Every structure is written in structure tokens, then in C-alpha cells.
Amino acid sequence: MQIKLLLPQRIKMNPTRYIAKQIYLIFSIGLILSACTRNKKIDVSNINVDVKIERFDHDFDAMRNKPMALQAAYLQKQYGSFYSDFIERILQVGSTKDTAYFKALHEVFAGKAYNDLKHDADAAFPNMDQQNASLTEAFKYIKYYYPQKRLPQVYAYISGFQAQTTVGDGYFGVGIDLFLGADSRFYPSLTNAFPHYLSKWFTPDNITPRVIEGIAREDMFPENDNDKALLNKMIYNGKIMYFMDRVLPDVADSTKIRYTTEQLKWCNEFEGKIWGYFLEQNLLYETDYQKIQKYLTEAPFTPGLGEKNESAPKLAVWTGWQIVRKYMDKHPDVTLPQLMADKDAQKLLNESGYHPK
């Protein structure tokens, strides 16, 4: 498998967390009941999964005090292909096929930038007990629905703000320097790469949803590059979000899609108008990505919709999510694997009966 470095803005529904669940009394009894059915928890207590995020960042830092060649050999044995991916693709300091990169690593370890970042990463993550517990639970759900799925090893690393998550052969990497907390002293100086509407989600409790989303998008259900039409992308993203519904049943919707409480409320209030806009503008079958990208990618709001920039971003993702939810509510006999394997976006839309008012 080719390594994939995932930054928040590169994840297509977008690679980052959450507020509180909203209860809208204006919903009908039918919608409430369907939501309860959708969120009904499954007992996964007997599934044998135990996730322990390996602290590669600690083992890597040991290279400064131990003989570098010996520690490098240990890291290559312990972490397999991730070590070479980290050196060559994330740090970009040379090839692990020779030792020339050791000089660059000595310079990294001696630099103030690395030491300041390591200090803050250690402070934010003295341990990863909370993330281990939440990922264990989520991986149990994946195993429930996909018993044969080979779950990845999870490694924590410091990327120098190069990659929030990394997908490779048998592993999923977490760049903890992009989960330090919204008030991290580093993020204000990185606004060109990570504007505030992204960095406000860079919190420790956002790790598990981003790992699950990354596994879904980049490992289990990669998007078909030939699906150019907005409807196809809408349904694809909706299925990813629904997968997260099932695997993260206790996580708030706002966390999964990275909406503020106000943005989520706005979408629910104007759901009919959002759908009407897509229809009136003949966008469902539009294949020009330049025309549809603003409905799929991370942004502070959606230009042209709402007053005073109050609209939510990535409205095609949110709408696709509602369509898939509606479809699954109407077809309780359809399993999650059957849904994820269904490539017919038009059929899912037609059979969802999605007509918000």
C-alpha cells in the first residue's frame, strides 16, 4: 500500500471536533423513532480487540541519546514500513537505505523548534489512555460489522505539522502535533496552512473520529475517481458519515462532521432550502469539480448561502448523510456492509424518498 499523508483540508469531505448533541423538539415522532433505531447500540463487549497506540514519538526521540544506528535498527524492526515512511515522506530527511540522514536527524534533535514541539506534545499526551479506550470501542464495532477486517496498528508521531494522519501498509499514524488543543501556541503562526476554522478542531478528543474517518475513506472504502458527479460524491460522503454513525454511536453529529452547534442547527433549519438549492442550480449531475468543490470541502461557510456568512460548509456531505440515513431508515433489512458496497447513488437517492420541506 502506498503511504497517504492526510491533512484536514485534503480529506475530501473536508481531513478536524465537537460540541454537544442537539435535541430538536420540532422533529416529528417518526423521525425521533427512526433516529433511535439508527443509534441503537450493539453489544460488542465480547469482541476481542484491545488497541494500544504505540508511542513512536518517544522511541524516535530516544535516538538523540542512544547510538543512532542501533536505535534506527530497533525502530525499523519495531515499526516496519512506518519508520521508512516517516523518515522519507513525513520528515523528508533522506532515505533509510543509507545513514546519510543521521546528520539531518542530529540537527532536528538539536533545534529549538523540535524541542518546543516535543515539550507541548508530552504535556498534551502524558499518556493516551482515553484514546486507547475510545479506539478500542470503535475497532470492536468495525470487527462486529467486518469480522475479517485486519485492523491496523496505530502509531503516534510528531510530524512537524506535515501530516495529521497517515495511512500505510498495516498501520494508521496519528500526528499528535496536530491534536494539541485549539489554544496551542503553535497554530496561530500556521494560519496559511491551517486557518482557525480547521485548527479549532485540533484537540486530543478528536483523534478517534479522525482515525475512524481516515480508515473508512483511505483504507476500507476509497472513493472511485471516476465518480465525478456531485450526486455520486454526495452519496459517497453520506455513506462514510453513516459508517461513522454505526462505529461511533456515542459521538455527536457535530463531532463527526466538524460543525459547530450553530452550523448543525442551521442545516436542520434550512434542510429543505439546501436541497432545493441543489435542484434549482442543477448541481446533482454537475461534474465540473471547480463548480462543486465548495459543497464538499472544509471552509468557514458556504458562499452564496445564508445571511452574514452563517451557513455551514460542505453542504453536499451533510445532505448526502441525510439521504443515506433516510434510505437506511426505510430499509432496516439492509446491512452496513451491503450499504457500503452499493455503488448506485441514483438508486439510493430514489429509494430514500428524500424530499425535505
Side-chain angles (χ1 to χ4, degrees), residues 275-314:
W275 182 240
Y277 177 85
F278 284 129
L279 298 179
E280 292 163 8
Q281 299 297 315
N282 296 314
L283 288 169
L284 291 189
Y285 306 102
E286 179 60 65
T287 59
D288 185 344
Y289 190 71
Q290 294 301 314
K291 294 182 179 179
I292 63 177
Q293 64 175 337
K294 67 179 180 179
Y295 308 112
L296 295 161
T297 55
E298 293 285 2
F301 56 89
T302 299
L305 288 172
E307 298 178 359
K308 300 178 181 179
N309 299 335
E310 65 181 353
S311 61
K314 50 182 186 274

Side-chain angles (χ1 to χ4, degrees), residues 95-214:
S95 171
T96 57
K97 294 179 181 178
D98 59 55
T99 60
Y101 72 97
F102 286 179
K103 182 177 183 294
L105 290 187
H106 282 298
E107 294 174 356
V108 168
F109 291 134
K112 184 176 185 299
Y114 170 79
N115 286 280
D116 285 349
L117 188 52
K118 180 186 181 304
H119 173 275
D120 285 23
D122 288 344
F125 298 99
N127 61 66
M128 302 197 78
D129 293 349
Q130 179 181 346
Q131 288 76 28
N132 289 336
S134 59
L135 272 177
T136 293
E137 187 77 358
F139 279 21
K140 285 183 177 183
Y141 280 100
I142 293 178
K143 271 292 191 182
Y144 174 85
Y145 291 111
Y146 294 87
Q148 305 306 314
K149 170 62 182 171
R150 178 192 171 205
L151 297 172
Q153 296 292 316
V154 185
Y155 304 141
Y157 61 88
I158 295 174
S159 75
F161 310 112
Q162 294 302 306
Q164 188 177 51
T165 53
T166 310
V167 181
D169 185 13
Y171 72 77
F172 196 97
V174 179
I176 56 175
D177 50 329
L178 287 170
F179 290 101
L180 295 177
D183 59 350
S184 169
R185 58 173 167 159
F186 296 106
Y187 300 152
S189 63
L190 300 170
T191 52
N192 286 338
F194 306 113
H196 180 66
Y197 66 81
L198 283 177
S199 64
K200 68 183 178 183
W201 304 107
F202 291 0
T203 58
D205 58 356
N206 199 31
I207 287 177
T208 293
R210 301 292 68 86
V211 170
I212 296 304
E213 182 180 4

Side-chain angles (χ1 to χ4, degrees), residues 22 28 41 46-47 62 81 87 124 130 142 147 154-155 162 179 193 210 213 222 246 253 321 336-337 339 344 350:
Q22 297 294 302
S28 68
K41 292 192 67 174
N46 292 327
I47 296 178
S81 62
I87 295 296
Q130 179 181 346
I142 293 178
V154 185
Y155 304 141
Q162 294 302 306
F179 290 101
R210 301 292 68 86
E213 182 180 4
R246 289 291 186 89
D253 287 356
W321 193 9
L336 181 62
L339 169 71
D344 194 336
N350 293 344

